[in-house]
């Protein structure tokens, strides 16, 4: 199973690399055309894609570091490298988002605003088409290898696609005698960058502090209780190592069972969680249930 996980991480690199190449090309084009055409919205979208380069590189680094096998200082492996990289990327994205928001806000009060060139709008539409293709590729790849990281990248891709559409709408709308609409769109883009960065930061913080979804924990508990021989689930804890769930559980079995029989039940619990729920590793502690008098 470990070997399969490493193979999946390696495949996941393709999605990160595709995103990096797409973001480099699009951010360069948007910043150049945005500056030439005088479009605040397109420049903001270009800066958004520039932060996405950093985020995608962080995902790529995280995927590669996560492939390192356990060593004497990391007995559980390096799975959390991916989560740490996501947190670093979120901080950088937040800084850029705030800068975009401030810059657009100052431009909003500029009385000499002019409508940007139509070329900027066409670039926004072209960017939408590219990012939608990248989104479809990464989504398909994420489903194939069951990777939360690649799926998160895909969601970021489609978010960027809609941001580009929004920028294009703002640019075309400014041609109707409303040049302020381009700046307003830039403000919205800045807000979306900050919101995305905050969401990534919150999720990364939750995982690094060993937080775990209570609803998923309940599903695990019900799965364990359904295993023949399990009398009760005394305690259950879980945490995430990258995209891998690790579960610690204390089960109660009949006190009259032999050591071998109790061990067999713990093996069934481990197998149920791994095979049915995709849990990466399970630690089962068995205790005798109090006999009924």
């Amino acid at each position: 199973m470990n070997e399969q996980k490493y193979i999946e991480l390696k495949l996941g690199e393709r999605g990160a690399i595709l995103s990096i190449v797409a973001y480099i090309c699009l951010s360069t084009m948007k910043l150049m055309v945005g500056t030439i055409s005088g479009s605040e919205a397109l420049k903001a979208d270009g800066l958004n894609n520039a932060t996405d380069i950093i985020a995608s590189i962080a995902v790529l680094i995280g995927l590669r570091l996560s492939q390192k096998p356990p060593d004497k200082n990391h007995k559980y492996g390096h799975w959390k490298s991916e989560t740490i990289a996501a947190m670093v990327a979120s901080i950088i994205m937040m800084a850029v988002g705030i800068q975009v928001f401030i810059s657009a806000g100052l431009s909003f009060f500029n009385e000499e605003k002019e409508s940007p060139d139509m070329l900027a709008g066409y670039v926004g539409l072209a960017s939408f088409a590219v990012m939608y293709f990248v989104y479809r590729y990464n989504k398909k790849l994420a489903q194939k290898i069951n990777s939360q990281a690649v799926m998160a990248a895909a969601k970021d891709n489609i978010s960027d696609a809609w941001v580009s559409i929004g920028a294009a709408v703002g640019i075309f709308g400014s041609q109707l005698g409303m040049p302020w609409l381009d700046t307003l769109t830039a403000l919205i883009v800045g807000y979306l960058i900050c919101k995305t960065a905050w969401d990534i930061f919150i999720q990364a913080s939750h995982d690094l502090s060993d937080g775990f979804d209570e609803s998923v924990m309940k599903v695990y508990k019900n799965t364990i209780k359904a295993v023949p021989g399990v009398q009760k689930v005394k305690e259950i804890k879980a945490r995430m190592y990258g995209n891998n769930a690790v579960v610690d559980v204390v089960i109660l079995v009949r006190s009259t069972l032999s050591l071998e029989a109790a061990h067999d039940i713990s093996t069934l619990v481990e197998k149920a969680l791994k095979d049915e729920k995709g849990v990466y590793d399970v630690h089962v502690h068995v205790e005798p249930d109090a006999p009924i008098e």
Side-chain angles (χ1 to χ4, degrees), residues 53 57 63 120 139 142 175 182 188 201 203-204 273 278 280 285 290:
I53 296 172
I57 291 175
L63 287 169
K139 182 181 179 181
Q175 301 294 320
D182 177 70
I188 295 173
F201 180 83
Q203 183 60 52
L273 288 176
Y280 177 72
H285 179 70

Side-chain angles (χ1 to χ4, degrees), residues 242-262:
N243 293 323
N244 307 301
V246 176
V247 176
D248 297 282
V249 59
V250 178
I251 61 172
L252 301 182
V253 300
R254 284 188 303 157
S255 60
T256 56
L257 289 179
S258 65
L259 179 61
E260 182 179 358

Side-chain angles (χ1 to χ4, degrees), residues 5-18 20 56-70 77-83 85 149-150 243:
K5 284 286 186 179
Y6 289 126
I7 292 174
E8 290 175 354
L9 287 171
K10 190 68 177 177
L11 288 174
E13 292 182 13
R14 297 179 183 178
I17 292 173
L18 177 62
I20 290 170
S56 297
I57 291 175
V59 170
L60 179 60
I61 293 173
L63 287 169
R64 290 189 173 177
L65 288 177
S66 296
Q67 295 173 49
K68 295 177 63 177
H78 297 77
W79 303 107
K80 286 194 175 183
S81 299
E82 187 178 348
T83 311
V150 179
N243 293 323

Side-chain angles (χ1 to χ4, degrees), residues 47 51 90-105 186-187 189-195 197:
L47 286 173
T51 64
S90 71
I91 295 172
I92 297 172
M93 290 175 66
M94 180 64 74
V96 174
I98 292 173
Q99 178 59 41
V100 169
F101 198 84
I102 292 174
S103 177
L187 286 169
V189 170
Y191 165 76
L192 290 175
I193 297 173
C194 291
K195 184 180 184 304

Side-chain angles (χ1 to χ4, degrees), residues 9-31:
L9 287 171
K10 190 68 177 177
L11 288 174
E13 292 182 13
R14 297 179 183 178
I17 292 173
L18 177 62
S19 293
I20 290 170
V21 172
Y23 285 135
I24 288 175
C25 295
L26 291 176
S27 63
T28 301
M29 179 173 63
K30 289 176 183 177
L31 290 172

